[in-house]
Amino acid sequence: MSSLNLDDFTDLIERPDAGVRRDAEAHRESRNVPPGALGRLDELGEWLASAQGAAPVRPVERPRVVLFAGDHGVAGLGVSARPAGSAAELVREVLEGGRPVAVLARRLEVPLRVVDMALDCDPSTLPEDVVRHRVRRGSGRIDVEDALTPEEAEAAFRAGVAVADEEADAGTDLVVLGDVSVGGTTAAGVLIAALCGTDASVVTGRGGQAIDDLAWMRKCAAIRDALRRARPVLGDQLALLAAVGGADLAATTGFLLQSAVRKTPVILDGVVSAACALVAQRVAFRAPDWWLAGHDSGEPGQAKALDRMALEPLLDHGVRVGEGLGALLSLPLVRSAAALAAELPEKRQPEKAEPEGPEEPQSPQEHGSPEQPGRAEAAGGQAPAQGAQAQERASRPESV
């Protein structure tokens, strides 16, 4: 009998601090750039402040890339452009710094962590810190058999929880979440179709390394067959992950839920992390408030899952390589939002005009007679000239 009760996450997960978000909005309104002028950066800054529980928001100083890795037996049906069981090669390239996500993480100075959950290789060929959470070698062929036993599914889920705790305890303030898998998008498509109540063809994409039409039809058929096996266990999310998920997907789901418990914000990558997030949402409805969708990978299943969770991708660059790259590309955007929210100066208040002193009194000559002050000025300044002409007439002799 399992001691793991997923319902506990509903009580453990709280929403980000709404009061802090209001404080962040008020802080933003007092800055010298009008609210709304920075577009979605304003929203990002306020979301991050509420997740941190601090207004103004603190900078993102200790992010981390976390990739869960595994092979899927369904890849043996030819549903992927890569050969079945070859995810370990990708992991080695990541660790050696040769994959795109490794290059960008190095450039952005973000530590990168790979967690082997079900790679189809000898564990001795990989570093100990990579393989120490491994549950099994490869996952079952989900169109005809369960991906995991119930015990393996629980172990993988608990491993994801443990990794989330390790990251939170290490001071990680934001996680960029991705996967390294072969056949993983097929398992993700089954989960999304099952939870969204849709047909296999609606969620079947072509993967990171695009497959041809024949491979797409094989993938669609595999998702359709696995979907029949998924529907009877829709009410039990752990059983669903065991039936049609995989060790890496079960671990990712546990990681997402425990990250929300520990109030660690997460940026989701592609269709695999979106599928796991959708499963996690069914466990705890508040959990998606702690996640961002990093980018639009072009996978129809991802779009379906994000729409169900009301998450809008930050970027749309057509990046399909997976491995957390698209999510990592959005990290500078999140950091920029935090910097602007925290460092923009306040609006300048208009300076008050100094009151003028009392006017000096003018002499009567300037104003004319007391009865008619200012008559000379009213006459356009001609009074002195008229007086001179009168004196000249008085000095002339009168004509006979």
Side-chain angles (χ1 to χ4, degrees):
M1 185 70 179
S2 171
S3 60
L4 181 62
N5 184 5
L6 298 187
D7 291 339
D8 290 342
F9 286 100
T10 302
D11 300 325
L12 291 171
I13 294 174
E14 303 174 356
R15 293 191 188 278
D17 196 320
V20 170
R21 182 155 194 161
R22 288 192 293 271
D23 292 343
E25 291 173 358
H27 177 83
R28 176 66 187 89
E29 289 174 359
S30 69
R31 303 301 97 182
N32 67 349
V33 177
L38 295 176
R40 198 167 177 190
L41 291 173
D42 282 343
E43 179 188 340
L44 278 176
E46 292 159 6
W47 171 81
L48 192 57
S50 65
Q52 294 175 347
V57 65
R58 297 189 299 267
V60 177
E61 294 180 333
R62 303 188 68 177
R64 177 95 153 188
V65 178
V66 177
L67 307 177
F68 288 96
D71 279 298
H72 294 261
V74 72
L77 297 176
V79 298
S80 173
R82 293 187 174 277
S86 62
E89 297 176 13
L90 293 174
V91 167
R92 291 189 189 96
E93 291 180 25
V94 170
L95 296 175
E96 292 168 1
R99 297 298 298 174
V101 67
V103 172
L104 189 59
R106 186 167 60 248
R107 176 60 62 180
L108 295 177
E109 299 181 345
V110 179
L112 188 152
R113 179 180 185 181
V114 180
V115 184
D116 169 17
M117 297 306 305
L119 290 174
D120 190 8
C121 70
D122 185 343
S124 64
T125 61
L126 293 170
E128 172 60 27
D129 63 332
V130 172
V131 301
R132 64 189 175 90
H133 288 292
R134 178 187 282 201
V135 169
R136 58 177 283 170
R137 182 166 176 163
S139 294
R141 216 184 94 179
I142 57 175
D143 62 321
V144 294
E145 64 180 346
D146 287 349
L148 309 166
T149 66
E151 294 76 19
E152 290 168 343
E154 181 175 341
F157 186 94
R158 288 186 182 277
V161 170
V163 172
D165 283 333
E166 290 167 9
E167 292 302 325
D169 292 341
T172 300
D173 55 8
L174 186 143
V175 172
V176 175
L177 182 64
D179 70 287
V180 183
S181 63
V182 175
T185 62
T186 302
V190 178
L191 292 173
I192 294 168
L195 293 173
C196 293
T198 191
D199 186 68
S201 61
V202 176
V203 298
T204 304
R206 296 184 179 267
Q209 188 173 332
I211 54 177
D212 59 24
D213 291 344
L214 287 176
W216 183 89
M217 287 188 283
R218 290 193 295 269
K219 185 175 182 178
C220 189
I223 291 177
R224 180 198 62 214
D225 293 341
L227 196 52
R228 296 193 188 102
R229 303 184 60 260
R231 289 185 179 123
V233 292
L234 273 179
D236 185 338
Q237 305 310 311
L238 199 57
L240 179 65
L241 290 166
V244 296
D248 50 338
L249 275 70
T252 301
T253 304
F255 180 89
L256 283 166
L257 286 167
Q258 188 64 11
S259 292
V261 171
R262 297 297 300 269
K263 301 183 177 181
T264 305
V266 177
I267 303 178
L268 307 175
D269 185 43
V271 65
V272 173
S273 56
C276 298
L278 193 60
V279 178
Q281 183 200 36
R282 292 291 289 262
V283 174
F285 66 94
R286 300 186 192 96
D289 290 349
W290 294 94
W291 312 328
L292 291 173
H295 75 126
D296 181 356
S297 68
E299 284 282 316
Q302 184 206 24
K304 195 78 177 173
L306 294 182
D307 181 68
R308 181 59 61 95
M309 294 182 288
L311 296 176
E312 183 181 352
L314 294 177
L315 302 175
D316 183 4
H317 292 333
V319 174
R320 296 189 298 272
V321 71
E323 304 164 18
L325 178 64
L328 186 54
L329 282 169
S330 68
L331 177 60
L333 192 66
V334 177
R335 280 177 149 171
S336 298
L340 289 168
E343 299 177 24
L344 280 176
E346 291 187 22
K347 297 176 185 174
R348 285 188 176 181
Q349 298 299 327
E351 296 181 0
K352 294 182 180 179
E354 295 184 3
E356 296 181 359
E359 293 184 0
E360 296 182 4
Q362 295 178 338
S363 62
Q365 287 84 355
E366 292 174 330
H367 286 281
S369 65
E371 292 81 4
Q372 293 180 333
R375 185 172 57 184
E377 286 83 347
Q382 297 298 319
Q386 290 173 357
Q389 291 172 2
Q391 290 177 3
E392 184 180 353
R393 285 196 304 269
S395 63
R396 286 189 217 152
E398 293 184 5
S399 59
V400 179

